[in-house]
């Protein structure tokens, strides 16, 4: 299950309750998907370790790549409607020709740096070898928004 960070919850509350414009905290209205090699545990995701730019790794934009599944209401579910690919070159994401673990995904507000807004574990975990592409297929990922 995906977990929102404290930052996302605070910004959504400011938007709903105080009328703070989304573009003030989500620059360019973009969202990027990144891959964790160590899952965050803390609510601000500061203890997670994302893969770095080694071996051709880069976050992927995921704006406008989702379709709502109204069949599960009152859960608001969005499913991936476009295949997403993360490329790896011959040195691999570790930069030393070894396989790289992928334990989860993070939704970020910037292509590099920035803030993690949501994160979730992958099940099953994946290992990406040098020159192997990691693909998330259509309907291979869903995000549920629920009230606890």
């Amino acid at each position: 299950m995906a977990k929102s960070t404290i930052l996302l919850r605070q910004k959504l509350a400011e938007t709903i309750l105080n009328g703070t414009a989304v573009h003030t905290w989500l620059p360019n209205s973009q969202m990027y998907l990144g891959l964790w090699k160590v899952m965050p545990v803390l609510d601000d995701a500061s203890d997670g370790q994302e893969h770095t730019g080694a071996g051709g790794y880069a976050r992927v934009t995921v704006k406008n790549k989702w379709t709502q599944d109204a069949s599960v209401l009152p859960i608001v579910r969005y499913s991936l409607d476009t295949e997403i690919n993360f490329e790896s070159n011959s040195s691999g994401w570790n930069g030393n020709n070894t396989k790289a673990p992928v334990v989860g995904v993070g939704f970020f507000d910037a292509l590099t740096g920035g803030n993690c807004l949501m994160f979730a574990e992958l099940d099953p975990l994946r290992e990406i070898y040098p020159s192997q592409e990691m693909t998330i297929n259509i309907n291979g990922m869903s995000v549920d928004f629920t009230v606890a």
Side-chain angles (χ1 to χ4, degrees):
M1 177 192 304
K3 182 175 183 179
S4 62
T5 61
I6 290 173
L7 176 68
L8 177 61
R9 295 189 299 265
Q10 289 172 331
K11 295 301 181 183
L12 286 173
E14 290 171 11
T15 297
I16 293 166
L17 301 174
N18 297 330
T20 303
V22 172
H23 74 271
T24 63
W25 58 272
L26 190 58
N28 302 318
S29 298
Q30 291 288 340
M31 187 64 58
Y32 300 91
L33 192 67
L35 303 175
W36 297 111
K37 59 182 173 182
V38 175
M39 273 308 291
V41 176
L42 299 176
D43 280 342
D44 65 359
S46 62
D47 59 334
Q49 292 179 19
E50 183 185 8
H51 284 279
T52 64
Y57 169 79
R59 293 178 187 164
V60 176
T61 184
V62 291
K63 180 181 178 180
N64 297 324
K65 295 184 179 183
W66 305 88
T67 302
Q68 184 179 5
D69 179 358
S71 71
V72 295
L73 291 174
I75 295 171
V76 177
R77 175 176 293 156
Y78 281 82
S79 296
L80 193 62
D81 64 14
T82 305
E83 184 176 272
I84 295 177
N85 296 299
F86 292 87
E87 296 182 10
S88 171
N89 68 22
S90 61
S91 66
W93 291 343
N94 292 330
N96 61 3
N97 298 312
T98 60
K99 64 185 175 186
V102 179
V103 299
V105 297
F107 289 81
F108 293 86
D109 62 4
L111 184 58
T112 59
N115 302 293
C116 180
L117 301 176
M118 297 186 302
F119 56 93
E121 291 184 51
L122 286 180
D123 184 19
L125 307 179
R126 298 191 188 178
E127 293 180 330
I128 305 302
Y129 290 84
S131 299
Q132 179 184 4
E133 194 174 81
M134 181 175 151
T135 300
I136 302 174
N137 295 321
I138 294 173
N139 293 320
M141 179 184 301
S142 296
V143 179
D144 292 351
F145 296 88
T146 62
V147 177

